[in-house]
Amino acid sequence: MFVEREQDVLRAASMYYLQDLKMEVIARHLGTSRSTVSRLLKRARETGLVEITLRPSSTRAPGLGRSISAAFGIDTYVVPVPDSAGSVERLDQVAMTAARLIGSWFDSDMVMGIAWGTTLAAVSRYLAPKPTRGSAVVQLNGAANMRTSGVEYASDLISSFGSAFAAAVHHFSVPAFFDYPDTKAAMWRERSVRRVLDMQRRADIAVFSTGAVAGAVPSHVYSAGYLDDADVRRLHDEGVVGDVCTVFLRGDGSWEDVSLNSRATGPTPAELQRIPRRVCVVAGDNKVAPLLAALHARVVTDLVVDEVTATALVEAVAGRAPGRPR
């Protein structure tokens, strides 16, 4: 009976993908069957030993990634998509890429912070199982709102990350926004809350998106009752373009004196910056302004973005209206 070993997976993958040998030939080399070789190759893909990327000849992705990386000093992963792709398709393609990258970065004895939202919910659906030991997943921002508890939505999302990596899960059972800053200050002194905040501070990797007020795929914080009309008007008056972890940002990345932030439960940009790897996952035209704000706030170390949004971002940085000739 053939016993599958890591070195056999590597040998099979090397012969198939690098030496272009047929499965029958590889099976003879390994002294096994063609079906076993097929299983070894599947294992190589599932574990990330082999990564398959399709790059259409017309794609602008590599050049866009280099431009964004050079402008902001980050690692950028631009996902090729056709210009005709719809918002949902772009989100799915980005979510698949982000899920694969997160699986390659997260390992045993690590802590991952997750900010719930529409984009991260999509990422959670594409996570491949990767059992780890001694690891943890922690929720970065509260979820309750004035219409519903909001807890079930966030809990399921965070739990899906924990299940994928066999990691301990730490939920953050507080509202997304408190009614009063004093209430937040009092809750932050509670031992149960301090325990979660301490776990957040221990994070090795944070995963989040940027929130946008409108668009074909609206951000959950703006579409599910977390803000009332007066809040939205106040944000508009203060020049807010979006949020990261439910902390609101202006276009230049400033956030300290935005009034609603004193009631927000997510980590501030200053707190996020203490986490070594900060992965921002973005898809959609409506995300360009909040993404640029997040980049100005220096909360991103790794960006996963679709090609169309990346093009609009580069044009925004260059001061061009989207779609204008270069």
Side-chain angles (χ1 to χ4, degrees):
M1 179 179 176
F2 187 88
V3 179
E4 182 180 305
R5 296 172 298 180
E6 185 176 348
Q7 66 187 47
D8 294 316
V9 175
L10 177 60
R11 289 176 65 196
S14 297
M15 285 187 280
Y16 187 78
Y17 291 105
L18 299 182
Q19 301 175 41
D20 201 27
L21 299 180
K22 296 185 180 299
M23 289 192 191
E24 293 81 357
V25 177
I26 298 172
R28 288 199 298 272
H29 275 289
L30 297 181
T32 187
S33 65
R34 188 184 187 282
S35 61
T36 297
V37 172
S38 178
R39 189 176 70 245
L40 291 172
L41 296 175
K42 180 181 179 183
R43 177 66 176 165
R45 294 190 297 271
E46 290 175 342
T47 58
L49 179 65
V50 169
E51 297 179 357
I52 298 175
T53 303
L54 297 179
R55 296 192 182 279
S57 58
S58 61
T59 182
R60 305 179 300 273
L64 290 168
R66 288 191 294 270
S67 295
I68 296 170
S69 295
F72 297 101
I74 63 173
D75 290 330
T76 308
Y77 306 85
V78 177
V79 181
V81 295
D83 290 346
S84 59
S87 299
V88 175
E89 181 184 351
R90 287 157 64 184
L91 175 59
D92 279 346
Q93 292 298 319
V94 168
M96 281 190 278
T97 298
R100 177 178 57 80
L101 289 168
I102 292 164
S104 70
W105 291 330
F106 189 67
D107 217 325
S108 297
D109 300 315
M110 293 179 68
V111 176
M112 176 162 48
I114 300 294
W116 53 261
T118 305
T119 302
L120 270 294
V123 173
S124 71
R125 294 193 290 269
Y126 292 106
L127 292 170
K130 177 186 177 181
T132 61
R133 299 178 305 279
S135 62
V137 172
V138 60
Q139 183 178 331
L140 288 177
N141 47 336
N145 64 55
M146 55 192 166
R147 293 183 191 170
T148 67
S149 73
V151 171
E152 184 175 352
Y153 168 84
S155 177
D156 289 348
L157 195 164
I158 305 302
S159 294
S160 66
F161 275 84
S163 297
F165 299 107
V169 175
H170 299 267
H171 297 291
F172 199 20
S173 301
V174 296
F177 303 96
F178 286 101
D179 287 334
Y180 306 99
D182 290 347
T183 309
K184 174 183 172 180
M187 283 295 295
W188 258 225
R189 293 194 294 269
E190 291 290 326
R191 282 180 294 178
S192 60
V193 173
R194 282 162 44 199
R195 179 183 61 80
V196 179
L197 293 172
D198 179 63
M199 185 61 66
Q200 292 176 2
R201 284 189 282 268
R202 291 171 50 196
D204 302 283
I205 179 173
V207 186
F208 52 88
S209 186
T210 56
V213 177
V217 185
S219 300
H220 196 78
V221 70
Y222 302 102
S223 63
Y226 288 90
L227 303 170
D228 60 26
D229 291 341
D231 290 332
V232 174
R233 285 195 299 271
R234 189 177 304 114
L235 293 175
H236 177 75
D237 292 343
E238 294 183 345
V240 166
V241 298
D243 74 278
V244 168
C245 303
T246 59
V247 173
F248 298 102
L249 307 174
R250 296 188 184 88
D252 62 1
S254 62
W255 56 271
E256 294 93 333
D257 57 344
V258 174
S259 56
L260 264 67
N261 286 342
S262 63
R263 302 192 274 119
T265 56
T268 66
E271 290 167 331
L272 273 178
Q273 287 170 11
R274 301 187 188 114
I275 298 174
R277 170 165 264 152
R278 307 180 297 278
V279 185
C280 185
V281 186
V282 175
D285 299 340
N286 61 323
K287 297 295 187 80
V288 175
L291 172 56
L292 188 54
L295 291 168
H296 286 318
R298 304 186 66 81
V299 296
V300 180
T301 62
D302 297 83
L303 173 64
V304 187
V305 61
D306 70 275
E307 184 174 345
V308 180
T309 304
T311 300
L313 174 66
V314 169
E315 290 173 343
V317 171
R320 293 191 298 268
R324 283 182 56 185
R326 300 185 176 194

